[in-house]
């Protein structure tokens, strides 16, 4: 529910910082990140306007959801530019 609230704020509020802070708290409370907050954090930092925009960019060619491998490659590269925000997670929990 909190994740969905952050997605709503991200898409509907000019102040993306609020959504970013919620996603950060979610990641800190669950570093295994089974909901994927880390992707949303980096997407906001990279200027994506919404979760829908992120999902659209990484939609699989077969139309069966997101291309997880492409998303992971993007995340690993883009996250390096935001070590001040996500570095604690990358250094501790990333494989």
């Amino acid at each position: 529910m909190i994740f969905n609230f952050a997605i709503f704020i991200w898409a509907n509020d000019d102040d993306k910082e609020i959504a970013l802070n919620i996603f950060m708290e979610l990641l800190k409370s669950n570093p295994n990140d089974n909901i994927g907050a880390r992707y949303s954090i980096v997407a906001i930092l990279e200027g994506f306007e919404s979760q829908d925009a992120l999902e659209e960019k990484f939609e699989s060619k077969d139309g069966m959801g997101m291309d997880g491998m492409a998303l992971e490659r993007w995340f690993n590269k883009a996250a390096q530019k935001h070590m001040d925000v996500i570095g604690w997670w990358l250094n501790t929990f990333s494989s």
Side-chain angles (χ1 to χ4, degrees):
M1 183 171 76
I2 296 170
F3 183 80
N4 288 336
F5 179 63
I7 288 173
F8 176 81
I9 292 171
W10 180 10
N12 294 293
D13 195 322
D14 290 335
D15 187 1
K16 306 296 184 207
E17 193 74 23
I18 296 168
L20 180 63
N21 288 333
I22 294 170
F23 287 124
M24 288 295 296
E25 290 301 319
L26 286 169
L27 184 58
K28 288 175 187 174
S29 70
N30 179 15
N32 290 328
D33 196 27
N34 60 319
I35 61 173
R38 67 186 178 274
Y39 302 115
S40 299
I41 291 165
V42 173
I44 290 171
L45 296 170
E46 287 288 296
F48 283 80
E49 287 299 315
S50 66
Q51 181 75 20
D52 287 341
L54 177 65
E55 291 176 7
E56 232 175 74
K57 178 164 178 71
F58 294 102
E59 187 174 332
S60 66
K61 306 238 184 297
D62 61 11
M64 300 298 291
M66 292 178 67
D67 180 343
M69 297 296 284
L71 176 64
E72 196 65 30
R73 282 190 301 272
W74 166 82
F75 171 79
N76 288 328
K77 184 177 180 181
Q80 296 300 313
K81 296 185 274 183
H82 306 286
M83 292 298 285
D84 58 323
V85 176
I86 196 82
W88 66 271
W89 186 87
L90 290 170
N91 292 330
T92 306
F93 299 98
S94 181
S95 50

